[in-house]
Amino acid sequence: MTDSPQQMFEDAAAILSSALDGDSDAVVGTFDAVVDRAGLAGAYDVAWCLAATMVGDPVPPGACALDFPGIDQAGYDARWVARFVSAYANADLDTARALFGAAAADGLLPECLLTLAGSTVATLRQRAA
């Protein structure tokens, strides 16, 4: 868990601001700072906050699929984001934690988190259009 819920929101806001500016180094730097301060659990909390931002409030009713047509042809990070956000939308904490742990074990968590930040920004821009 991050230091506080407020800190988690501030970290997520900093990541989104950097992503909106197209500054991937700052996005990665903020996630690194979260890990340094609060461990992988802190990074998970911030990722969960980004997924919540992407899905919106209230969560749309019904189940979200963890797999989509053609998803197996997508890159690891894109598949991870689709499945992590679906796990959020389905309130499936076990799957979300398993996905997070697998990405960390595979050494691909930074790429996945960067893609999550970019996808969240793309979703916010689409909503605003």
Side-chain angles (χ1 to χ4, degrees):
M1 172 75 81
T2 55
D3 299 344
S4 71
Q6 184 61 37
Q7 183 65 55
M8 175 187 61
F9 293 129
E10 289 172 7
D11 292 333
I15 287 167
L16 289 176
S17 177
S18 296
L20 281 165
D21 291 341
D23 189 348
S24 58
D25 289 339
V27 170
V28 171
T30 302
F31 269 117
D32 286 346
V34 170
V35 171
D36 288 346
R37 185 182 66 247
L40 284 178
Y44 174 87
D45 290 344
V46 173
W48 198 248
C49 186
L50 293 176
T53 301
M54 186 184 295
V55 170
D57 188 35
V59 174
C64 293
L66 294 175
D67 288 302
F68 307 93
I71 195 156
D72 289 329
Q73 287 72 42
Y76 184 105
D77 57 334
R79 288 191 316 269
W80 185 90
V81 168
R83 291 173 176 152
F84 187 80
V85 172
S86 293
Y88 171 83
N90 290 326
D92 186 349
L93 297 173
D94 291 337
T95 297
R97 287 184 186 121
L99 288 164
F100 200 88
D106 291 342
L108 296 170
L109 187 58
E111 291 87 350
C112 293
L113 295 175
L114 187 58
T115 301
L116 176 61
S119 297
T120 303
V121 165
T123 299
L124 292 173
R125 285 184 173 145
Q126 183 178 7
R127 278 189 203 137

